[in-house]
């Protein structure tokens, strides 16, 4: 995966991305609510923090949205 953003993910955002990647089968998707629930369960993040992390992952190109659902951008398939 190639990102146009120069700054790396924070450790918290990296952990959140790994939690989402371990939950979403390759090529599958989650609703935002499901993603927030995963981050609450696996990373103990409250809703506002989970929303912020999802937004950061989106802005850095690690997740993208299709018809209101989140998909990962080829995470771990290097």
């Amino acid at each position: 995966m190639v990102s146009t953003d120069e700054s790396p993910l924070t450790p918290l955002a990296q952990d959140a991305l790994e939690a989402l990647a371990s939950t979403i089968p390759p090529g599958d998707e989650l609703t935002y609510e499901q993603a927030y629930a995963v981050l609450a369960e696996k990373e103990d993040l409250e809703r506002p923090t989970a929303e912020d992390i999802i937004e950061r992952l989106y802005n850095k190109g690690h997740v993208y949205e299709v018809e209101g659902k989140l998909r990962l951008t080829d995470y771990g398939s290097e």
Side-chain angles (χ1 to χ4, degrees):
M1 191 201 72
V2 177
S3 176
T4 58
D5 195 330
E6 297 170 3
S7 62
L9 290 176
T10 64
L12 179 59
Q14 184 64 45
D15 289 346
L17 180 59
E18 290 171 6
L20 291 171
S22 71
T23 303
I24 305 173
D28 210 352
E29 59 195 16
L30 290 175
T31 65
Y32 280 90
E33 292 303 317
Q34 290 168 322
Y36 301 146
V38 167
L39 296 180
E41 179 183 325
K42 293 190 173 197
E43 297 299 320
D44 197 29
L45 298 179
E46 304 232 357
R47 175 70 178 251
T49 305
E51 289 174 349
D52 183 55
I53 293 295
I54 295 287
E55 182 177 350
R56 288 180 194 197
L57 293 175
Y58 178 86
N59 289 336
K60 291 184 178 279
H62 294 283
V63 298
Y64 63 101
E65 182 180 322
V66 175
E67 296 180 0
K69 294 186 180 178
L70 293 172
R71 295 183 184 177
L72 294 179
T73 309
D74 297 328
Y75 180 76
S77 64
E78 297 170 359

